[in-house]
Amino acid sequence: MAKKVFLLYRDLILLTLIAVPIGIAAGIVDTVFGRTLLWLTDIRTQHVTWFLPFLGIIGVFILWLYKKMGGKSIKGMALIFETGHGINPDIPLRLIPFSIVSTWLTHLFGGSAGREGVAIQIGGTIAHWIGRRLPIKEAGKILLIAGMAAGFGGLFRTPIAAAFFALEVLTVGVLEEKAILPALTASFTASYVSGLLGLEKFTFLLKDQIQVSWELIPKLLIAGVLFGLVGSVFTLCLHKSKEALSTWIKQPLLRIFIIGTGISILSFLCFKGRYSGLGTNLISMSFSQGIYSWDFACKLLFTVLTLSAGFQGGEVTPLFSIGASLGVVLASFLGLSPVFLAALGYVAVFGSATNTLLAPMIMGAEIFGAEYLPYFAVVCGLAYSCNLNLSIYPLQKRKE
């Protein structure tokens, strides 16, 4: 009997075991990438006038480097999705150094971008390189998902949310069940390794005593709808601006130079780089003080312009900052705790823009406290329902 069970689950057991070294590798690379990125962010913050004026020039260099030596790795996250859907059979290993270095340069010179795109590409590339060489059915796709979970989990150190994000992001409404155990294994391993190597996790345990009442429920409903709409506005602006800029300025090198230079000028005018980088400064202020009512809109604008121009990075951390700062603004109108609404916005706008449901709910529990999970579920569910079925990932499929 035991032998029959083993044979039945042999492939799953093997892929789960392989997920451990994938998690270790992703955790190590995530740590190097993440800690270096924070170091470069500190340098830019301290010497903003040294770097900010040259964003347009560095953009030209990044794009030239991709076109000269990057090959199809210039597709970035699109390549991960193409591979996950079976459109593309291979992910070149060069995707890892290209995505890392280009993101470092984007942040050092003041672009407004995230970092999750790089983390997912790191884990996905490592895992798929291994998976496509195994004589196991669907090994490539299962390990790709595990690698995506490892990359996300190693960088953000929210392993359960990372696993479910990887499981649900490829196709809306579909949870890739075969990959659950490998994804969780890889994600927890990567998170443990990156933590061991000194990569810090953002945690803010809420202390608000929230009482469920007839007065609270409509306020949560309003917040959920607004968070969902802002997430969809971000997504719509990102897609439309990419189309518009490619039409207005057809030459990519000229486009990234002009837009990059424009971002530099705007950044100087807006508090000398307040909206540059990840947006962790806005996240910190959202849970203490210092947020302006226009911060979420400005961060949205700068991130859309940066990514539309062709700079590298991701969207998720800026989405966290947009949601958290929006939550602080809504708190004054809804009469709720600013940090409570900042926490809700932090995950709900992310869920809306990525068109995911389970990952943002779980992330809220992992970062802010499991006892608030019911509130995250309500608000994230509403945001997910009100996002107009849009996603920052154009190749994300929908359940037929």
Side-chain angles (χ1 to χ4, degrees), residues 98 159 226 241 295 358:
F98 269 89
L226 290 175
S241 63
D295 277 337
L358 298 176

Side-chain angles (χ1 to χ4, degrees), residues 22-40:
I22 288 173
I24 293 172
I28 292 171
V29 181
D30 273 351
T31 302
V32 174
F33 166 67
R35 295 192 67 173
T36 303
L37 182 60
L38 295 176
W39 174 64
L40 292 174

Side-chain angles (χ1 to χ4, degrees), residues 61-388:
F61 173 72
I62 291 170
L63 204 55
W64 174 84
L65 204 60
Y66 265 107
K67 289 183 175 294
K68 197 75 174 176
M69 294 177 284
K72 63 181 179 181
S73 63
I74 195 171
K75 292 183 177 181
M77 279 293 291
L79 192 57
I80 299 293
F81 275 80
E82 286 180 359
T83 306
H85 294 314
I87 301 170
N88 198 310
D90 188 31
I91 304 174
L93 287 176
R94 76 180 78 177
L95 179 63
I96 295 175
F98 269 89
S99 62
I100 288 175
V101 172
S102 60
T103 301
W104 282 343
L105 292 174
T106 295
H107 282 270
L108 178 61
F109 287 87
S112 175
R115 53 187 171 176
E116 98 294 336
V118 181
I120 292 173
Q121 290 171 56
I122 289 169
T125 302
I126 293 170
H128 188 73
W129 186 85
I130 296 171
R132 65 190 293 267
R133 287 163 172 77
L134 297 176
I136 298 175
K137 186 180 179 182
E138 295 189 86
K141 182 173 183 178
I142 291 172
L143 287 184
L144 174 69
I145 292 170
M148 292 168 66
F152 197 108
L155 188 64
F156 290 104
R157 303 202 52 224
T158 53
I160 304 176
F164 279 91
F165 178 78
L167 289 165
E168 65 177 325
V169 74
L170 289 176
T171 305
V172 178
V174 174
L175 201 65
E176 301 288 349
E177 296 176 358
K178 294 180 181 178
I180 290 177
L181 194 54
L184 285 168
T185 301
S187 183
F188 270 100
T189 302
S191 179
Y192 176 77
V193 169
S194 62
L196 201 64
L197 296 176
L199 192 61
E200 295 181 1
K201 172 188 175 182
F202 171 67
T203 303
F204 187 92
L205 295 179
L206 295 175
K207 298 179 181 179
D208 294 284
Q209 298 296 319
I210 307 297
Q211 299 295 327
V212 178
S213 64
W214 291 112
E215 183 182 356
L216 175 66
I217 292 173
K219 293 178 179 180
L220 293 180
L221 296 178
I222 292 170
V225 170
L226 290 175
F227 289 142
L229 291 176
V230 168
S232 63
V233 166
F234 177 91
T235 303
L236 194 61
C237 288
L238 185 61
H239 295 329
K240 292 298 182 182
S241 63
K242 284 182 178 180
E243 293 175 7
L245 290 177
S246 62
T247 301
W248 296 340
I249 313 173
K250 296 186 182 297
Q251 220 293 329
L253 292 174
L254 182 62
R255 180 166 62 244
I256 201 169
F257 174 75
I258 293 174
I259 303 302
T261 303
I263 293 170
S264 295
I265 295 170
L266 286 174
S267 295
F268 266 113
L269 295 175
C270 296
F271 310 101
K272 289 188 176 180
R274 181 180 177 91
Y275 307 111
S276 298
L278 294 167
T280 49
N281 58 325
L282 298 180
I283 293 171
S284 297
M285 287 186 283
S286 296
F287 294 99
S288 54
Q289 56 183 352
I291 287 293
Y292 300 133
S293 58
W294 59 82
D295 277 337
F296 78 93
C298 288
K299 186 60 179 175
L300 188 153
L301 173 64
F302 275 85
T303 306
V304 165
L305 287 175
T306 299
L307 298 176
S308 299
F311 289 97
Q312 298 297 308
E315 299 90 353
V316 167
T317 307
L319 286 169
F320 292 155
S321 67
I322 291 166
S325 53
L326 173 61
V328 173
V329 176
L330 291 180
S332 60
F333 293 101
L334 297 177
L336 294 174
S337 163
V339 293
F340 176 58
L341 269 184
L344 294 175
Y346 183 100
V347 293
V349 172
F350 153 64
S352 170
T354 57
N355 210 9
T356 56
L357 175 61
L358 298 176
M361 290 164 46
I362 297 169
M363 178 174 283
E366 287 188 285
I367 294 176
F368 301 107
E371 62 269 33
Y372 295 91
L373 182 58
Y375 307 109
F376 292 121
V378 170
V379 173
C380 289
L382 278 166
Y384 177 78
S385 301
C386 297
N387 78 336
L388 308 179

